[in-house]
């Protein structure tokens, strides 16, 4: 078991999802008292989301992990106003959350080009500071990567997630017949005939107790947070991690996965979810699938199969339960259709919600009143005198 942990750590070390950096804004430039000159402000330090960037590249390129803004120029006879110091940009991958050492969130970078100032440069010397400059802001920050994807694959080791991702998309994760195959997250793209693309994140297999950080639980669970929907993957015949661990049926696996997510962060189980029942090419798969469907329809009747402390507060209602065989390709096209349907349904609901908010804003009396006042102030735009009366004051044009 110790040997396995070392293997996991070493391979996972090639994929970095958390990085600690030292950042310092540049010092301001000296003022010039005899002529009232003002020194330039120090340069700021920014984190900027960039395409095809990884935390490992940052670590390899800047092994000291120190980022300093440029110093502001001193005021001089030739230039009374000193130039601002050069800003320092830290290119980081999309999906970064920037926090302090104490865990305070400074901001998120969710799209390419997003920028966040993490250390402000000092002010240049001026008459207000007796022409003495100030030093730049100094702090340690953490870049915490949480993968952004439309779907996150959730399942126990060897449920067939990597094989499923390969069958669905263009990703090529490692596949083998031992439990811990996926040791770092993989992103695959589902391609449709109308050129629609859907991203799927294959997250390393969870184990019981992942919410307590067992088996690198927190390293993996946090990547589920930014996926729009969850795609549970279970082995139709059940699973046993090791000889000294209990055998879990497909139904038990579903409920234990739900509980792990719930214990880590309860909001996760509110995400829309689909269930993939994999390995339908195995003997007796059809009978076990029917048994699973019956158990999912009446989960309370089968709750005695689970330990009391691992029964979820609320059972998940899956939008689709799709039987597949990732190795033979059975059910893959149907699964892709279900995924597209579920995501399109959410997108349509989100669009309707935005339209509804806009309509409510337009029909809001306060909003209408503000438009009336703004219109009444545009005197030059109105061809004839108009009198506006409101409850606060009269406006005449």
């Amino acid at each position: 078991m110790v040997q396995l942990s070392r293997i996991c750590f070493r391979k996972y070390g090639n994929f970095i999802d958390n990085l600690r950096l030292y950042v310092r804004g540049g010092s301001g430039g000296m003022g010039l008292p005899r002529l009232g000159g003002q020194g330039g402000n120090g340069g700021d330090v920014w984190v900027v989301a960039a395409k095809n960037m990884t935390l490992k590249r940052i670590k390899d390129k800047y092994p000291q992990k120190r980022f300093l803004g440029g110093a502001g120029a001193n005021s001089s006879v030739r230039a009374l106003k000193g130039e601002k110091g050069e800003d320092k940009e830290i290119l980081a991958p999309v999906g970064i959350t920037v926090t302090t050492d104490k865990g305070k969130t400074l901001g998120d970078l969710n799209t390419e080009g997003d920028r966040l100032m993490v250390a402000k440069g000092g002010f240049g010397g001026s008459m207000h500071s007796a022409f003495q400059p100030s030093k730049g802001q100094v702090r340690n920050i953490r870049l915490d990567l949480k993968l952004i994807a439309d779907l996150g694959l959730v399942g126990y080791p060897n449920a067939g997630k990597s094989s499923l991702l390969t069958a669905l998309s263009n990703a090529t994760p490692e596949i083998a017949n031992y439990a811990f195959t996926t040791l770092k997250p993989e992103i695959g793209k589902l391609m449709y005939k109308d050129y629609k693309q859907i991203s799927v994140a294959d997250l390393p297999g969870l184990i019981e107790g992942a919410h307590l950080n067992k088996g690198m639980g927190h390293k993996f669970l946090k990547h589920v947070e930014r996926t729009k929907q969850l795609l549970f993957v279970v082995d139709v015949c059940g699973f046993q991690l090791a000889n000294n661990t209990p055998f879990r049926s497909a139904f038990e696996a579903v409920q234990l996965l739900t509980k792990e997510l719930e214990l880590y962060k309860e909001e996760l189980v509110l995400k829309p979810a689909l269930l993939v029942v994999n390995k339908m090419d195995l003997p007796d798969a059809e009978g076990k699938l029917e048994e699973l469907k019956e158990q999912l329809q009446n989960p309370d009747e089968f709750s005695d199969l689970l330990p009391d402390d691992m029964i979820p507060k609320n059972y998940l209602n899956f939008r689709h339960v799709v039987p597949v065989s990732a190795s033979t390709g059975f059910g893959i096209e149907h699964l892709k259709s279900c995924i597209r349907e579920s995501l399109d349904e959410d997108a349509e609901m989100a669009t309707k919600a935005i339209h509804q908010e806009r309509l409510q804003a337009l029909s809001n009396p306060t909003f209408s009143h503000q438009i009336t006042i703004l219109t009444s102030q545009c005197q030059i735009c109105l061809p004839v005198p108009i009198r506006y009366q409101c409850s606060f004051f009269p406006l005449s044009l």
Side-chain angles (χ1 to χ4, degrees):
M1 192 62 173
V2 174
Q3 184 181 2
L4 177 62
S5 299
R6 287 176 181 171
I7 292 172
C8 291
F9 178 79
R10 185 168 64 248
K11 290 191 176 182
Y12 192 79
N14 293 327
F15 176 83
I16 299 173
D17 58 6
N18 189 282
L19 192 62
R20 186 173 184 262
L21 306 176
Y22 172 87
V23 294
R24 186 181 74 200
S27 299
M30 290 289 294
L32 189 63
R34 63 189 178 90
L35 295 178
Q38 182 175 342
N41 292 337
D44 307 317
V45 182
W46 297 78
V47 179
V48 182
K51 190 176 181 181
N52 299 326
M53 196 63 191
T54 66
L55 294 183
K56 188 175 186 301
R57 286 185 186 177
I58 299 175
K59 183 180 179 183
D60 292 344
K61 188 174 181 180
Y62 305 98
Q64 300 298 320
K65 295 179 284 185
R66 292 170 62 88
F67 297 88
L68 315 177
N74 295 333
S75 174
S76 66
V77 174
R78 292 185 178 183
L80 289 180
K81 172 66 175 174
E83 289 188 5
K84 184 179 186 295
E86 185 179 356
D87 288 350
K88 182 66 177 178
E89 290 188 348
I90 307 170
L91 299 183
V94 175
I96 285 290
T97 296
V98 184
T99 65
T100 64
D101 265 352
K102 294 183 179 179
K104 179 184 177 182
T105 300
L106 301 177
D108 296 317
L109 305 178
N110 293 329
T111 56
E112 186 179 351
D114 282 357
R115 297 168 58 85
L116 178 68
M117 185 192 296
V118 292
K120 185 171 180 57
F123 293 107
S126 67
M127 59 182 297
H128 301 294
S129 62
F131 299 97
Q132 295 298 312
S134 62
K135 294 182 178 180
Q137 186 179 16
V138 179
R139 64 179 12 156
N140 289 303
I141 62 170
R142 290 185 179 274
L143 305 184
D144 192 28
L145 176 64
K146 297 177 183 178
L147 296 179
I148 299 176
D150 296 308
L151 283 170
L153 298 182
V154 179
Y156 284 118
N158 215 24
K161 301 189 303 302
S162 298
S163 300
L164 181 64
L165 185 65
T166 302
L168 284 170
S169 71
N170 58 355
T172 55
E174 184 181 353
I175 299 170
N177 61 354
Y178 52 88
F180 291 97
T181 304
T182 304
L183 298 174
K184 64 179 182 179
E186 298 273 357
I187 293 285
K189 291 282 186 181
L190 275 65
M191 307 292 292
Y192 291 84
K193 292 181 179 179
D194 60 353
Y195 303 106
K196 169 78 173 180
Q197 294 187 23
I198 291 175
S199 57
V200 182
D202 176 21
L203 309 177
L206 301 177
I207 65 172
E208 292 181 40
H211 68 282
L212 298 174
N213 209 21
K214 291 183 180 179
M216 298 186 186
H218 289 181
K219 281 184 176 288
F220 302 158
L221 280 169
K222 71 175 185 179
H223 292 294
V224 182
E225 294 182 40
R226 288 190 180 176
T227 58
K228 296 178 182 176
Q229 298 187 6
L230 303 178
L231 194 64
F232 281 60
V233 183
V234 297
D235 185 332
V236 67
C237 294
F239 173 70
Q240 185 175 15
L241 181 63
N243 292 332
N244 59 345
T245 59
F247 174 82
R248 299 299 187 189
S249 67
F251 173 74
E252 291 175 286
V254 169
Q255 306 311 332
L256 290 171
L257 287 168
T258 304
K259 187 63 177 181
E260 290 294 345
L261 295 178
E262 184 180 88
L263 290 172
Y264 174 71
K265 185 167 287 189
E266 204 160 333
E267 294 81 2
L268 292 180
V269 295
L270 301 178
K271 291 178 181 284
L274 295 80
L275 175 61
V276 176
V277 185
N278 196 16
K279 305 188 181 181
M280 288 300 296
D281 54 306
L282 295 178
D284 301 326
E286 288 294 338
K288 292 183 182 298
L289 175 63
E290 292 305 316
E291 180 183 349
L292 173 61
K293 287 181 177 179
E294 180 186 353
Q295 291 171 328
L296 291 174
Q297 288 177 353
N298 306 286
D300 287 322
E301 296 181 12
F302 300 93
S303 60
D304 59 328
L305 298 173
L306 302 167
D308 291 339
D309 60 340
M310 291 305 291
I311 298 175
K313 292 181 182 177
N314 297 295
Y315 295 104
L316 279 177
N317 291 317
F318 295 101
R319 290 187 174 181
H320 300 279
V321 177
V322 188
V324 305
S325 171
S327 60
T328 67
F330 166 76
I332 295 299
E333 289 303 317
H334 178 54
L335 174 58
K336 290 178 71 173
S337 299
C338 291
I339 290 171
R340 176 73 180 268
E341 179 185 328
S342 182
L343 287 168
D344 286 350
E345 181 183 336
D346 274 5
E348 185 179 349
M349 290 174 61
T351 302
K352 286 182 178 179
I354 292 171
H355 289 167
Q356 190 65 29
E357 287 178 8
R358 289 176 179 173
L359 288 173
Q360 288 177 351
L362 288 172
S363 61
N364 188 328
T366 304
F367 182 79
S368 301
H369 175 67
Q370 290 172 349
I371 291 179
T372 301
I373 293 177
L374 288 172
T375 306
S376 68
Q377 292 173 343
C378 297
Q379 302 178 23
I380 195 169
C381 302
L382 301 175
V384 294
I386 301 175
R387 178 176 295 275
Y388 289 87
Q389 185 78 31
C390 74
S391 58
F392 300 103
F393 52 83
L395 295 172
S396 300
L397 301 179

